[in-house]
C-alpha cells in the first residue's frame, strides 16, 4: 500500500553497466549449461584434473606418480584396474586406473605417460576402496601356516613355516604331521609318458564301453597284463577307471572366473595330468573315468 504524498522509488541501473537483469540471467543460464555439458565430457574433465594436478603437484603427496602403484582389485570377481596411492610407504587411498575401460570411459590411451596421470583418477566402487581394510586387516594371513605335528585336524593348532620349507614339503612329502608318510607332488606325478598315457586311456575307454560285467572284468585283466610294467603309476590296478596317481591331485575352487579357470585347467589337466579340477560343490571324482590325458 502506497503512502499518500510519496511516489514509489524505482531501483536505478548504473549507466556504465550496459546489461539488463534479463540479459544477465540469460547469460548465466547459457554459461552454466555449457559448463555442465563440457564437464560431462571425459576429455574436458581430464583436462581440468590434469591442470589441478599441475597446480598442486608439489603440495599433494598422493598425486605424486612416484607414490602410486597400478594393479588390479580382487575384492570381487570383476577385477577392475586400480591405482593405489602411498603415503610414507603405506597404502592410503585406492582409486580407479585411468587406463582401464571399466573405471574410466573413454579410458586414456595406453601410450599416455604415467608421469602425467598423478592427479587423474578413474571411478571405483566402495568395495574396491575397502581393499585398504583387507590389506591391513590384523587377522590377515601373511605367512604359510602348517598344522602343528602331533595335533589332530580341527584342533586349530598352527605354526608358521618359511615359504621355501612349504614348497619343499608340498613337492617332496614326508612325515609332515607325525602321522606317517604323506605323498607329495613328486609322488603323485607318477605318469609322465604321453605315449603310455594315450595307450592306457584308449584301453580304459574300451573297458567303459563294454556293458557285459564278465567281459568287462576280462578286459581289466588284459589291462593289467598289457601294462604290467606300469601298474605302479595307477591308483588301483584292479580299478583302472580311477586312473593314475596324478588324479589324486585335486584343484578345487570356490570363486573363480573362466579367465583364470582356463589357466588352472591347462596346468592341472594338460601339464600335471590330473582330471580332478572342478568348482567347489561338484564331487571331485564325479568324472573320474580316467581319460589319462596325454600331455604334449
Amino acid at each position: 500500500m502506497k503512502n499518500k504524498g510519496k511516489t514509489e522509488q524505482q531501483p536505478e541501473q548504473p549507466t556504465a553497466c550496459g546489461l539488463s537483469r534479463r540479459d544477465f540471467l540469460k547469460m548465466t543460464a547459457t554459461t552454466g549449461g555449457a559448463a555442465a555439458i563440457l564437464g560431462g565430457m571425459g576429455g574436458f574433465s581430464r583436462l581440468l584434473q590434469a591442470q589441478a594436478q599441475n597446480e598442486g603437484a608439489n603440495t599433494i603427496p598422493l598425486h605424486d606418480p612416484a607414490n602410486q602403484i597400478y594393479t588390479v582389485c580382487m575384492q570381487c570377481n570383476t577385477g577392475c584396474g586400480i591405482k593405489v596411492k602411498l603415503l610414507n610407504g603405506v597404502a592410503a587411498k585406492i582409486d580407479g586406473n585411468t587406463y582401464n575401460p571399466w573405471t574410466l570411459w573413454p579410458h586414456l590411451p595406453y601410450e599416455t605417460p604415467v608421469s602425467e596421470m598423478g592427479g587423474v583418477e578413474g571411478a571405483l566402487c566402495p568395495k574396491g576402496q575397502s581393499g585398504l581394510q583387507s590389506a591391513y586387516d590384523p587377522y590377515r594371513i601373511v605367512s604359510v601356516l602348517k598344522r602343528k605335528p602331533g595335533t589332530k585336524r580341527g584342533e586349530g593348532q598352527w605354526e608358521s613355516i618359511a615359504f621355501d620349507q612349504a614348497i619343499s614339503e608340498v613337492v617332496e612329502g614326508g612325515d609332515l604331521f607325525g602321522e606317517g608318510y604323506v605323498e607329495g607332488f613328486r609322488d603323485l606325478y607318477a605318469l609322465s609318458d604321453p605315449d603310455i598315457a594315450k595307450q592306457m586311456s584308449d584301453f580304459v575307454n574300451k573297458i567303459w564301453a563294454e556293458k557285459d560285467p564278465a567281459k568287462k572284468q576280462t578286459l581289466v585283466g588284459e589291462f593289467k597284463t598289457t601294462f604290467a610294467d606300469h601298474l605302479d603309476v595307477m591308483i588301483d590296478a584292479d580299478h583302472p577307471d580311477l586312473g593314475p596317481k596324478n588324479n589324486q591331485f585335486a584343484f578345487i575352487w570356490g570363486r573363480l572366473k573362466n579367465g583364470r579357470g582356463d589357466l588352472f585347467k591347462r596346468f592341472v589337466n594338460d601339464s600335471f595330468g590330473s582330471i580332478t579340477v572342478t568348482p567347489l560343490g561338484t564331487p571331485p571324482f564325479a568324472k573320474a573315468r580316467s581319460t589319462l590325458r596325454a600331455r604334449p
Side-chain angles (χ1 to χ4, degrees):
M1 181 177 181
K2 297 181 180 181
N3 295 328
K4 292 182 179 181
K6 295 184 179 181
T7 58
E8 183 178 4
Q9 296 182 350
Q10 299 293 331
E12 295 183 0
Q13 178 176 307
T15 55
C17 178
L19 184 67
S20 68
R21 179 181 298 178
R22 180 183 296 274
D23 291 337
F24 174 77
L25 294 176
K26 288 181 179 180
M27 183 182 68
T28 302
T30 302
T31 304
I37 294 174
L38 290 175
M41 298 173 61
F44 182 76
S45 177
R46 290 196 294 272
L47 287 175
L48 293 179
Q49 292 174 326
Q51 179 64 25
Q53 171 203 350
N54 293 333
E55 293 176 353
N58 297 326
T59 59
I60 306 178
L62 296 184
H63 283 183
D64 184 353
N67 294 331
Q68 298 175 350
I69 299 176
Y70 289 82
T71 182
V72 176
C73 176
M74 297 300 294
Q75 294 294 99
C76 79
N77 274 338
T78 305
C80 293
I82 58 175
K83 180 199 293 187
V84 181
K85 302 176 181 178
L86 308 178
L87 185 62
N88 297 326
V90 177
K93 183 70 171 67
I94 303 178
D95 284 305
N97 183 343
T98 50
Y99 299 94
N100 190 306
W102 290 347
T103 61
L104 184 65
W105 182 259
H107 59 84
L108 296 177
Y110 293 131
E111 61 270 16
T112 306
V114 173
S115 59
E116 298 178 6
M117 293 298 105
V120 184
E121 319 298 353
L124 191 65
C125 76
K127 180 179 288 188
Q129 297 186 40
S130 70
L132 294 175
Q133 295 174 320
S134 300
Y136 296 115
D137 191 316
Y139 294 102
R140 178 186 175 189
I141 298 176
V142 295
S143 61
V144 180
L145 297 181
K146 173 188 174 183
R147 177 162 60 94
K148 287 184 179 181
T151 64
K152 297 180 180 180
R153 292 176 179 269
E155 290 184 356
Q157 299 296 314
W158 306 91
E159 63 179 8
S160 297
I161 61 174
F163 187 78
D164 289 343
Q165 177 184 343
I167 293 295
S168 177
E169 293 187 0
V170 169
V171 173
E172 303 297 342
D175 188 5
L176 308 181
F177 308 101
E179 301 172 346
Y181 184 80
V182 177
E183 293 180 322
F185 274 6
R186 191 181 301 279
D187 297 306
L188 298 183
Y189 189 55
L191 179 58
S192 58
D193 188 321
D195 294 330
I196 297 299
K198 178 65 169 57
Q199 295 172 31
M200 285 185 167
S201 177
D202 292 342
F203 206 114
V204 168
N205 287 335
K206 184 166 63 173
I207 294 175
W208 274 98
E210 179 57 58
K211 303 302 182 181
D212 184 273
K215 293 182 179 180
K216 187 185 291 286
Q217 192 60 39
T218 300
L219 287 174
V220 171
E222 292 180 9
F223 177 91
K224 294 170 65 175
T225 301
T226 304
F227 301 102
D229 295 336
H230 306 285
L231 295 181
D232 58 318
V233 306
M234 304 299 291
I235 295 176
D236 187 343
D238 292 326
H239 296 85
D241 56 298
L242 296 178
K245 294 180 180 178
N246 305 54
N247 285 343
Q248 291 179 299
F249 167 43
F251 189 95
I252 303 172
W253 69 78
R255 189 195 73 172
L256 187 68
K257 278 200 169 180
N258 286 336
R260 285 169 287 159
D262 292 339
L263 175 63
F264 294 141
K265 288 180 180 179
R266 183 177 179 183
F267 168 72
V268 178
N269 293 156
D270 300 330
S271 180
F272 195 85
S274 171
I275 65 170
T276 318
V277 52
T278 176
L280 190 63
T282 302
F285 292 96
K287 298 181 180 180
R289 291 171 46 162
S290 185
T291 57
L292 297 174
R293 290 176 177 268
R295 290 174 296 282

